[in-house]
Amino acid sequence: MLYRLTGIKRYYNERCALSIDHLVIEEGKIYGLVGPNGSGKTTLLRILAFLDEPDAGNIYYNGSLVSPQLVPSLRREVTMLLQNTRLLTRRVKDNVAFGLKMRHMDLNTIKHRVKEALEMVGLPVKDFANRQWYELSGGEAQRVALAARLALRPKVLLLDEPTANVDTVSETLINEAVVRAKEEWKTTIIMVSHDLLWLYNSADETISLWGGRVASHGPENVILGPWEKVGDGLYCKKLKDGQKIYVSGIPSSSNAVTVSPGDISLLSNAINDDGGSACNLLRGLVTQMVYSNDGLLRVSIALGELNLVSLVDKDYIKSLDIYPGMEVYASFKPSAAQWL
Ligand SMILES: Nc1ncnc2c1ncn2[C@@H]1O[C@H](COP(=O)(O)OP(=O)(O)OP(=O)(O)O)[C@@H](O)[C@H]1O
């Protein structure tokens, strides 16, 4: 275990922006960090980068309680890349070499690391090393900024939406470089991303934030209220197409629930064969089918204004003969919903 966070709180002007009871980050894994705007993603990254201190709680890094005395040495192992990082006003190779020089590395190592890092992000040394910072496109500049971090071969690389403002070529190269860092140096990666395809295929785990708290499930299947109370502990939401979703439990202040993709089953007709217990049965259209890195298939279904994702076995899909564009039924128990 690389990080263990307990009882973390971060306030801005007495408003709690982050409240994490318990979070563990394992070494050498890729974590996708997701959540709506303002949910605390950047706040969490800055704490993990030791750039900000929480107002309460403890952080353990590599088994040791992090204290202000430890922070300078930890900052050498952990590096962060922001959305639009400004380059230093100098040549590409000087940008990439900067951190290595600060660490007093010898010239041969610096030369090798600069070449390696630039090639990892798809910028050949002969074409780019001597270019000035202003002779680059936005996507190239972001890749140089990433190369400067990769050259350090960091133990932890924190990325705050690094592909938000770059074209698809740069996006692919950045995503590939991140995966290579994990494979070659066992770098632990924590990356804010809205790219669900990347999350499904490359991330080992997803941390989902909601209102500064870690939500129990991934980025999908957040269903917002309003909810109407229809029975004892039973609540209903009416979709625009007239279908109704039922959830149980005790509502929270967020008025939102999540349903794990694994708890949603798919049926090709409206006959529910779950032994008669009351289940939601919602008609929708298959919009996307993606293999996920756990060997299962993620099927996205559009129903009314909602999009639900179901995680299903490949063989089951074959038996249903489902394909994009097909009408299916998504089924889940009201008790599968968890209030955020
Ligand atoms: N320096 C600050 N001063 C006051 N409030 C802040 C500050 N930084 C962040 N906040 C607030 O804390 C909350 C969490 O912000 P944060 O930037 O961590 O969210 P985020 O999930 O990264 O958002 P986004 O997706 O928009 O980047 C927000 O409500 C934000 O307005």
Side-chain angles (χ1 to χ4, degrees):
M1 169 189 330
L2 189 62
Y3 287 92
R4 187 159 68 87
L5 275 61
T6 58
I8 295 293
K9 300 238 186 255
R10 178 75 171 98
Y11 297 90
Y12 294 115
N13 310 320
E14 292 172 25
R15 234 195 88 246
C16 186
L18 196 67
S19 173
I20 296 184
D21 295 336
H22 191 78
L23 179 68
V24 165
I25 307 278
E26 308 273 1
E27 190 167 358
K29 281 192 176 179
I30 298 183
Y31 290 81
L33 181 56
V34 297
N37 291 138
S39 57
K41 301 179 299 291
T42 305
T43 304
L44 175 59
L45 281 190
R46 290 184 61 82
I47 286 175
L48 294 172
F50 307 112
L51 295 172
D52 264 351
E53 252 186 89
D55 296 299
N58 289 324
I59 305 173
Y60 296 86
Y61 180 84
N62 247 337
S64 304
L65 179 64
V66 174
S67 61
Q69 294 75 22
L70 270 183
V71 164
S73 65
L74 298 183
R75 279 202 194 138
R76 294 170 76 90
E77 299 191 356
V78 178
T79 181
M80 181 157 161
L81 179 67
L82 302 172
Q83 230 178 70
N84 290 311
T85 309
R86 287 233 187 111
L87 294 179
L88 302 171
T89 52
R90 51 190 87 175
R91 288 174 304 179
V92 165
K93 66 179 180 189
D94 301 322
N95 264 280
V96 182
F98 184 78
L100 302 169
K101 285 186 183 154
M102 296 292 283
R103 284 163 170 74
H104 307 294
M105 291 199 177
D106 66 82
L107 283 179
N108 274 341
T109 309
I110 292 178
K111 208 169 158 198
H112 169 73
R113 293 268 193 105
V114 168
K115 182 170 184 287
E116 175 187 69
L118 282 175
E119 281 172 0
M120 267 176 100
V121 297
L123 297 173
V125 171
K126 65 175 175 39
D127 300 327
F128 285 92
N130 286 314
R131 282 208 205 172
Q132 292 293 348
W133 77 100
Y134 53 80
E135 295 176 315
L136 300 166
S137 72
E140 287 162 357
Q142 184 69 342
R143 276 144 66 195
V144 171
L146 176 60
R149 272 104 193 135
L150 293 173
L152 303 171
R153 296 188 183 174
K155 206 164 159 63
V156 183
L157 179 59
L158 304 158
L159 304 126
D160 200 350
E161 282 203 77
T163 57
N165 299 312
V166 302
D167 65 15
T168 44
V169 173
S170 286
E171 182 178 352
T172 308
L173 288 163
I174 288 171
N175 287 339
E176 283 175 2
V178 162
V179 173
R180 264 190 71 193
K182 167 190 141 166
E183 284 169 355
E184 299 209 356
W185 312 312
K186 291 202 171 17
T187 299
T188 305
I189 317 276
I190 305 166
M191 175 155 145
V192 176
S193 175
H194 288 112
D195 178 355
L196 290 184
L197 264 183
W198 177 83
L199 288 167
Y200 298 155
N201 291 316
S202 303
D204 297 299
E205 298 205 20
T206 304
I207 302 169
S208 189
L209 285 183
W210 183 271
R213 295 176 177 274
V214 178
S216 48
H217 300 306
E220 317 98 336
N221 302 344
V222 176
I223 310 174
L224 298 170
W227 300 94
E228 187 193 338
K229 188 165 182 184
V230 289
D232 199 14
L234 193 65
Y235 297 83
C236 173
K237 176 190 169 86
K238 200 167 168 190
L239 296 177
K240 285 191 181 132
D241 65 1
Q243 300 197 80
K244 289 178 177 170
I245 298 181
Y246 293 92
V247 300
S248 59
I250 303 164
S252 62
S253 57
S254 70
N255 225 8
V257 298
T258 58
V259 183
S260 163
D263 286 337
I264 298 183
S265 37
L266 294 184
L267 306 163
S268 52
N269 56 47
I271 298 161
N272 202 341
D273 59 357
D274 69 343
S277 70
C279 261
N280 286 293
L281 196 60
L282 301 156
R283 197 184 60 256
L285 282 183
V286 175
T287 54
Q288 199 179 45
M289 297 165 70
V290 181
Y291 280 105
S292 123
N293 63 0
D294 44 19
L296 297 168
L297 204 67
R298 285 180 182 262
V299 182
S300 304
I301 312 123
L303 33 101
E305 66 274 35
L306 260 190
N307 194 57
L308 289 183
V309 175
S310 165
L311 193 58
V312 278
D313 192 84
K314 287 179 288 218
D315 294 335
Y316 179 65
I317 288 289
K318 263 190 216 146
S319 71
L320 280 184
D321 197 17
I322 279 178
Y323 50 85
M326 181 178 167
E327 190 175 272
V328 286
Y329 288 83
S331 168
F332 66 90
K333 292 197 172 113
S335 58
Q338 294 196 6
W339 292 90
L340 279 167

